[in-house]
Amino acid sequence: MPARGSTTFDLTGDLAFVTGSSRGIGRSIAEGLLRAGAHVVLHGRDEGRLERTRQQFADQYGKRRVHAIAFDITDEPSVRAGIASIETEIGPITVLVNNAGVQHRVPMLELSLEDWERVIRTDLTAAFLVGREVAKAMVARRRGKMINIASVQTDLARPSIGAYTAAKGGVRNLTRAMTAEWAADNIQVNALAPGYIHTEMTQALVDDDAFNSWILGRTPAHRWGTTEDLVGPAVWLASSGSDFVNGQVIFVDGGMTVVV
Ligand code: NDP
């Protein structure tokens, strides 16, 4: 592996694994890390979609720098095998972005245990599972960056997304727990908490006129975020520019969480 980039935000020499990067926020973050010089491993479950993203990025950034692997982050044996295969066949992971997640919108009185567990397992437990497997190798090498994707729901609740809110609240303290255990091994773990970002996950909300106007009124920046809005903060948290930033949740939300 080449030496690490010498300027603050240069990721040359890094290998970044971004979960859920076949589309949406993860895709933009992966592309941002590629633009900053890193090699990237793309990920998702749908192999067709993943391959299309890999091909587009390989055409643009060179096929040597773009890899892809499909596995379910909620399944422990698949996580173990997936991380082991990246480490042995592609290279040592220096940056992990725990991004993959799901939403489930239903009033809590109608929320089944099965859906509660599916959301908690995908949005919280999987960040622990993938983080633990990657950290084993990072701790041994005494170097690594982890970025957990949280949400404004890490701090704020809203009706109909109870399981998601509980999971994203958990991501804050998982980030702190990882910091407490791994910061001394030179692993910086932080979280990015996006506001309302226009992706497939939020398309139904963008299409809902009442919700859309509420978002515009509720967000001081008076707009939806774009996936590109996450790139600068992600590159910073992946780079040596954040080497003494530990356990923080950085809100990228147009100011939503600082006003009532
Ligand atoms: P999308 O639904 O657009 O993309 C989700 C990605 O995660 C896809 O690549 C999907 O691939 C993958 N994924 C989902 N479940 C699994 C699984 N079990 N195993 C492996 N991969 C999986 O979501 P967004 O880009 O909108 O969201 C990304 C992250 O950002 C999530 O954690 C979300 O909670 C968070 N977030 C989003 C906000 C928004 O406004 N959009 C706001 C705040 C936070 P596949 O389906 O092929 O498995």
Side-chain angles (χ1 to χ4, degrees):
M1 204 171 76
R4 198 171 191 205
S6 55
T7 60
T8 307
F9 302 111
D10 181 2
L11 300 181
T12 304
D14 276 293
L15 178 65
F17 175 47
V18 185
T19 66
S21 43
S22 55
R23 62 174 192 259
I25 289 172
R27 185 187 201 279
S28 284
I29 289 177
E31 185 164 18
L33 299 177
L34 275 166
R35 290 202 302 257
H39 290 220
V40 162
V41 183
L42 302 168
H43 165 266
R45 284 167 305 182
D46 176 339
E47 297 195 8
R49 185 131 194 194
L50 183 61
E51 175 52 21
R52 283 196 294 281
T53 304
R54 190 202 63 77
Q55 192 62 57
Q56 285 163 5
F57 285 176
D59 290 347
Q60 205 167 346
Y61 301 99
K63 73 173 196 274
R64 215 175 45 85
R65 293 178 57 208
V66 186
H67 308 268
I69 185 165
F71 64 85
D72 186 339
I73 53 168
T74 64
D75 180 60
E76 187 175 22
S78 305
V79 171
R80 281 218 169 97
I83 300 303
S85 116
I86 297 171
E87 288 269 336
T88 54
E89 285 161 36
I90 302 172
I93 300 168
T94 60
V95 177
L96 167 66
V97 185
N98 272 316
N99 164 78
V102 289
Q103 178 60 285
H104 184 70
R105 298 184 184 97
V106 66
M108 215 184 292
L109 291 179
E110 294 159 29
L111 177 60
S112 68
L113 178 60
E114 192 188 3
D115 283 328
W116 165 274
E117 287 181 336
R118 180 176 57 83
V119 172
I120 299 283
R121 198 172 173 90
T122 311
D123 294 358
L124 177 60
T125 309
F128 152 69
L129 274 180
V130 178
R132 184 191 62 187
E133 287 314 297
V134 172
K136 285 176 185 167
M138 285 182 170
V139 165
R141 291 191 287 267
R142 294 189 55 78
R143 179 192 155 191
K145 298 274 184 183
M146 279 193 202
I147 304 169
N148 296 325
I149 301 300
S151 162
V152 292
Q153 266 77 48
T154 292
D155 261 16
L156 304 175
R158 188 169 74 71
S160 84
I161 50 170
Y164 185 85
T165 304
K168 293 296 186 179
V171 169
R172 176 196 285 285
N173 269 0
L174 175 65
T175 302
R176 289 173 170 168
M178 289 171 156
T179 296
E181 301 219 11
W182 302 332
D185 295 302
N186 192 30
I187 299 167
Q188 289 84 46
V189 187
N190 291 286
L192 280 180
Y196 281 79
I197 311 289
H198 186 174
T199 67
E200 276 185 32
M201 188 184 270
T202 52
Q203 187 60 50
L205 305 179
V206 174
D207 293 340
D208 176 338
D209 286 344
F211 193 89
N212 185 51
S213 336
W214 178 75
I215 287 290
L216 298 183
R218 183 67 184 76
T219 308
H222 202 62
R223 68 171 175 87
W224 285 77
T226 66
T227 59
E228 190 64 24
D229 287 322
L230 276 310
V231 168
V235 169
W236 169 57
L237 289 179
S239 76
S240 60
S242 59
D243 278 354
F244 201 50
V245 182
N246 297 85
Q248 300 301 311
V249 179
I250 314 290
F251 285 85
V252 185
D253 65 354
M256 179 177 259
T257 46
V258 300
V259 298
V260 288

